């Protein structure tokens, strides 16, 4: 219970500080490059995410940072739980935005930050909105920003990898950027498996080899989606096997 109070208190308590920082950052934007501003704006979400994860008292291990390209990429990750984004934000130094459901826009401060992070909001109940989000995300990538997407569309809650929706492949093909698959394991153990109470957990995040746009174009959309899913699934199985041997 104490972990839950600490975590959620920080989650919302940090927002006024973040709002003040955001205003100071926005004043500097006109004199900065895209990359410089992305780095600057990313500092506060990273602090916020690191503070959240520290308060869960979870053990987080990250592998494959050396594989990150300097250029913009489309991160494609499995989606275990609500703590996936804080883990990835606090663990990957490369700035990125992500695709989020439109309901997040009702929260204080957070959606304003997300817009400056180049996040894209989607209404999954509206097909036209979903199609526009694909176009908007590809444009963000073309402008030099990296983006994270969860192609399962919903949390698995640690119950195995779900089907991948094909929209991310259209984004990658249109933008012509590498796909960097991410395999994350253990975030559902923080909250989803504990009746929404915060418990410490062992979380692993593995960054996989980038998949170049030339290779993506050599496959059909269906083959490419399955290829990326297989890469993540194989890594998750390897993680599970390693955990069972310990």
């Amino acid at each position: 219970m104490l972990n839950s109070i600490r975590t959620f208190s920080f989650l919302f308590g940090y927002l006024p500080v973040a709002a003040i920082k955001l205003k100071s950052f926005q004043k500097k934007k006109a004199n900065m490059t895209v990359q410089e501003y992305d780095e600057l704006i990313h500092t506060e979400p990273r602090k916020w995410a690191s503070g959240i994860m520290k308060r869960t008292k979870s053990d987080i291990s990250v592998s494959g940072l050396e594989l990150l390209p300097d250029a913009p990429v489309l991160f494609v990750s499995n989606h275990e739980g609500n703590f996936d984004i804080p883990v990835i934000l606090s663990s990957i130094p490369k700035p990125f935005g992500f695709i989020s459901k439109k309901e997040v826009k009702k929260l204080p401060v957070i959606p304003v930050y997300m817009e400056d992070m180049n996040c894209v909001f989607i209404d999954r109940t509206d097909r036209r909105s979903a199609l526009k989000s694909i176009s908007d995300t590809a444009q963000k990538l073309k402008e030099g920003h990296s983006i994270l997407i969860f192609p399962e569309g919903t949390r698995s809650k640690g119950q195995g990898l779900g089907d991948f929706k094909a929209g991310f492949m259209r984004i990658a093909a249109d933008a012509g950027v590498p796909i960097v698959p991410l395999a994350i394991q253990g975030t559902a153990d923080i909250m989803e498996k504990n009746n929404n109470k915060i418990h410490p957990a062992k979380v692993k995040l593995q960054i996989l080899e980038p998949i170049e746009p030339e290779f993506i174009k050599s496959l059909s959309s269906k083959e490419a989606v399955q290829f990326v899913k297989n890469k993540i699934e194989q890594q998750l199985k390897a993680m599970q096997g390693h955990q069972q041997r310990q």
Side-chain angles (χ1 to χ4, degrees):
M1 177 63 76
L2 189 57
N3 273 4
S4 298
I5 293 170
R6 285 173 178 162
T7 303
F8 289 115
S9 295
F10 181 84
L11 193 157
F12 293 105
Y14 194 78
L15 296 183
V17 177
I20 294 169
K21 288 289 184 70
L22 178 60
K23 287 182 180 179
S24 70
F25 291 164
Q26 288 174 331
K27 291 177 182 177
K28 302 175 182 178
K29 187 173 184 178
N31 299 317
M32 304 181 80
T33 66
V34 167
Q35 290 74 23
E36 287 170 342
Y37 189 70
D38 280 357
E39 288 285 352
L40 179 64
I41 206 70
H42 198 64
T43 57
E44 284 305 306
R46 189 183 293 138
K47 286 180 187 176
W48 175 76
S50 297
I52 289 171
M53 296 316 302
K54 181 179 179 181
R55 283 158 179 80
T56 71
K57 298 187 181 299
S58 296
D59 177 20
I60 302 169
S61 61
V62 186
S63 303
L65 288 172
E66 71 282 358
L67 299 174
L68 290 174
D70 292 329
V73 302
L74 180 63
F75 289 112
V76 176
S77 177
N78 64 303
H79 195 14
E80 263 207 17
N82 281 328
F83 282 84
D84 291 340
I85 286 180
V87 167
I88 297 170
L89 269 175
S90 61
S91 302
I92 293 182
K94 189 178 184 67
F96 61 88
F98 47 91
I99 296 179
S100 176
K101 56 187 179 181
K102 69 167 187 175
E103 287 78 9
V104 175
K105 297 186 84 170
K106 298 177 183 177
L107 296 172
V109 181
I110 291 175
V112 183
Y113 244 107
M114 289 172 65
E115 285 173 1
D116 264 34
M117 288 172 66
N118 300 289
C119 295
V120 176
F121 296 96
I122 181 173
D123 180 358
R124 294 194 182 98
T125 64
D126 185 341
R127 178 172 171 77
R128 289 180 65 184
S129 172
L131 291 172
K132 186 176 185 303
S133 73
I134 290 175
S135 174
D136 289 347
T137 304
Q139 186 59 38
K140 297 284 188 187
L141 289 160
K142 290 175 183 177
E143 291 169 358
H145 311 288
S146 293
I147 299 288
L148 165 69
I149 189 169
F150 297 109
E152 289 168 280
T154 187
R155 295 167 292 150
S156 69
K157 300 181 181 180
Q159 300 304 308
L161 197 62
D163 291 335
F164 276 24
K165 296 176 175 60
F168 78 93
M169 196 54 66
R170 291 178 59 186
I171 293 168
D174 187 15
V177 300
I179 289 174
V180 175
L182 304 176
I184 191 166
Q185 185 180 71
T187 54
D189 295 328
I190 299 174
M191 189 178 78
E192 279 81 2
K193 292 184 179 180
N194 307 313
N195 198 26
N196 290 334
K197 294 183 176 67
I198 306 298
H199 286 212
K202 288 188 176 181
V203 178
K204 294 181 180 179
L205 173 63
Q206 177 69 54
I207 300 161
L208 303 177
E209 288 272 1
I211 304 168
E212 297 300 327
E214 294 77 19
F215 179 75
I216 295 169
K217 289 177 181 178
S218 71
L219 304 175
S220 69
S221 178
K222 186 175 181 179
E223 289 171 336
V225 170
Q226 192 61 45
F227 180 83
V228 176
K229 182 183 177 183
N230 287 346
K231 288 288 184 183
I232 295 173
E233 193 164 34
Q234 289 165 10
Q235 184 59 46
L236 291 173
K237 287 179 180 177
M239 288 174 169
Q240 185 65 33
H242 179 72
Q243 185 176 351
Q244 290 172 349
R245 290 193 296 272
Q246 287 183 327

